[in-house]
Amino acid sequence: YPELKEFFMSLSGTIINGSEGKVKIYTPLAKDRKVLKALLEGGEAEIYTCVEPNQCLNINTTKVNVTKEQALYEKVKLTINKLVTAVAQDSGPLDPALKNFLEITKFPLLKFITANLMANQVSVAMSISSYSEAIAKNLLMQYMHEALQLVATSLSSTDYAPEVHKQLIDQIYQAMSYVEKIKTESRNDIQELMKFIESSKTTEQEL
């Protein structure tokens, strides 16, 4: 199974400063639906992989197979189930991994889960995991936007030849357009999630 960072590198594209000052540009693979599907759901795809994992100065295009359990949808679902169990058991502070997940999702998941568990609505609290696809897509979009903006900002301080610089900027905007497309496609799912979470406010008011 490839490193998650290799998947994101493949989606955003990258640039390698090789020997003798040669610059090699790897275009974004975000337009390849197989790459997105493998990352989110599992499956086979061709992505960029590092020959030397520590430095990644040489890149190959490699066919990889991601199992359902390794994909983001399933990982998010498993994490939400762990979160519900941890809150239900109330055995102390949440572990760092769950805290980090809550911080990056930007949805009030903990509040929703806690309110429904306090109202003895365990099945409602558990049902939030059915929205793992919407949450996973949102995380992917969030990460991609941040990564691409970081690359765009770092380019302003480089001294690449004008044609290389233009190619890189074009590449970034191209990848961003693919991310926006995912955002548009998943808007209904995210709106449904927010409506579902909003519905828990009635439960909170009754407590």
Side-chain angles (χ1 to χ4, degrees):
Y1 177 61
E3 292 279 348
L4 196 57
K5 64 184 179 183
E6 291 177 324
F7 256 108
F8 286 123
M9 174 180 71
S10 301
L11 289 171
S12 63
T14 190
I15 178 170
I16 302 293
N17 289 306
S19 58
E20 301 174 1
K22 289 183 179 179
V23 175
K24 189 161 186 183
I25 296 171
Y26 293 84
T27 57
L29 300 181
K31 62 182 177 182
D32 187 344
R33 285 287 173 168
K34 285 185 178 178
V35 176
L36 288 169
K37 184 177 182 295
L39 178 60
L40 291 168
E41 304 173 30
E44 197 174 79
E46 286 192 354
I47 66 166
Y48 300 140
T49 55
C50 302
V51 177
E52 314 94 351
N54 294 330
Q55 293 183 311
C56 205
L57 296 176
N58 293 290
I59 289 177
N60 286 334
T61 301
T62 309
K63 186 175 283 187
V64 298
N65 189 59
V66 181
T67 66
K68 182 182 176 183
E69 291 72 28
Q70 292 169 327
L72 278 183
Y73 285 170
E74 201 64 23
K75 282 183 178 292
V76 168
K77 186 176 181 180
L78 182 63
T79 303
I80 291 173
N81 288 339
K82 283 182 180 177
L83 182 60
V84 174
T85 301
V87 175
Q89 291 176 345
D90 193 22
S91 55
L94 295 175
D95 70 52
L98 291 177
K99 282 183 179 178
N100 183 55
F101 175 74
L102 287 170
E103 286 172 8
I104 62 175
T105 51
K106 297 185 178 178
F107 291 114
L109 298 180
L110 184 59
K111 194 174 181 182
F112 172 87
I113 291 166
T114 303
N116 283 288
L117 287 176
M118 287 180 70
N120 292 318
Q121 296 178 348
V122 179
S123 61
V124 177
M126 291 296 290
S127 66
I128 192 70
S129 66
S130 65
Y131 291 90
S132 58
E133 291 186 14
I135 295 169
K137 282 182 180 177
N138 194 65
L139 286 174
L140 173 61
M141 291 183 296
Q142 192 178 305
Y143 181 90
M144 285 289 290
H145 267 297
E146 290 173 2
L148 291 168
Q149 285 169 357
L150 187 64
V151 173
T153 302
S154 66
L155 278 176
S156 62
S157 60
T158 60
D159 56 356
Y160 294 126
E163 63 274 13
V164 174
H165 191 278
K166 183 181 183 305
Q167 188 175 349
L168 286 169
I169 291 294
D170 289 347
Q171 175 175 310
I172 289 167
Y173 283 114
Q174 183 186 21
M176 279 185 169
S177 72
Y178 297 135
V179 174
E180 284 300 321
K181 193 172 181 182
I182 301 168
K183 187 175 181 179
T184 302
E185 291 172 356
S186 61
R187 185 171 291 146
N188 288 341
D189 293 337
I190 292 170
Q191 285 175 346
E192 284 296 318
L193 169 61
M194 290 309 298
K195 283 179 186 175
F196 186 56
I197 291 175
E198 281 291 317
S199 70
S200 72
K201 287 187 177 178
T202 305
T203 303
E204 289 176 46
Q205 290 164 2
E206 292 172 352
L207 292 175

